[in-house]
Amino acid sequence: MRADEIRQKKIDYYEEEFKLAVAGNYRKYRFPYKTLGEKSAEADSLICDEERILSAYNLFKAVREANASFASHETKIIDDVITCPLTQMEQYTTGDEFVYLQAWLYFEKRSRDFIPYMYLLGDGSTYIIRFMPASSYRWNYKDKEVFAIIQAAFYPTDSLPGIQ
């Protein structure tokens, strides 16, 4: 084999391994008990994390709706600062697991108007959850690729509107 053929085979192999890893990781979020076992503490924890991100999303939406209804009174909530235990969990703040919660919220709950993201405050050690309109959110290359893999593996008939 030529050197470029060997390199291409390695690239193909690592791409396939990455796709399998992404699908395996997301499978835990989509089917926690089926994937990890009925009595799994990790499955319980993932379910709790999903409830937390959904609660944060619902709280954010409620604040936006309240702000809109009180706009004529010039009364509103200025800072959309949302904290929850997710903002203190390393796998979601500095790790690469938050994208799976984003995908779960996007695909499973069909929450597509706003995208949650972890935001590091100026003190350099405190994270909060923020939301950005999906049309304005700029995905990094890796997260965009993760979403595409999840969509292809689990939701092949679903489109990815707003993923830029």
Side-chain angles (χ1 to χ4, degrees):
M1 290 183 112
R2 294 187 345 225
D4 57 337
E5 290 173 329
I6 293 171
R7 271 193 299 276
Q8 187 59 49
K9 284 196 178 282
K10 283 183 181 179
I11 290 169
D12 293 345
Y13 172 78
Y14 287 118
E15 282 180 2
E16 190 60 31
E17 287 294 309
F18 180 69
K19 288 178 184 178
L20 291 171
V22 166
N25 283 336
Y26 184 69
R27 187 172 287 108
K28 291 186 307 188
Y29 286 85
R30 185 159 186 221
F31 310 111
Y33 292 116
K34 186 176 177 183
T35 305
L36 300 167
E38 289 296 322
K39 298 181 187 214
S40 168
E42 184 180 358
D44 292 340
S45 179
L46 289 176
I47 293 287
C48 188
D49 292 348
E50 291 169 347
E51 290 170 358
R52 287 173 174 148
I53 195 65
L54 183 59
S55 293
Y57 176 81
N58 289 335
L59 179 60
F60 171 78
K61 292 284 287 192
V63 166
R64 286 192 56 92
E65 289 169 10
N67 276 348
S69 69
F70 287 101
S72 63
H73 301 289
E74 298 176 356
T75 301
K76 62 183 175 180
I77 296 174
I78 302 248
D79 242 342
D80 296 333
V81 175
I82 298 175
T83 64
C84 73
L86 297 175
T87 62
Q88 297 176 11
M89 300 170 87
E90 197 171 298
Q91 71 264 32
Y92 299 127
T93 58
T94 58
D96 58 358
E97 293 283 313
F98 195 69
V99 69
Y100 296 105
L101 285 177
Q102 290 173 317
W104 177 84
L105 190 64
Y106 184 91
F107 288 111
E108 288 296 309
K109 297 303 174 184
R110 304 196 65 75
S111 300
R112 298 181 176 186
D113 46 354
F114 292 94
I115 304 297
Y117 64 97
M118 287 289 175
Y119 180 80
L120 181 61
L121 292 178
D123 67 6
S125 64
T126 305
Y127 284 88
I128 61 173
I129 294 176
R130 285 215 161 143
F131 290 84
M132 183 175 285
S135 60
S136 303
Y137 190 76
R138 296 293 173 237
W139 297 88
N140 68 40
Y141 176 78
K142 184 179 177 189
D143 289 350
K144 190 188 294 189
E145 189 174 4
V146 167
F147 257 68
I149 292 166
I150 290 170
Q151 186 264 332
F154 296 95
Y155 311 96
T157 60
D158 208 340
S159 64
L160 290 172
I163 305 290
Q164 303 173 2

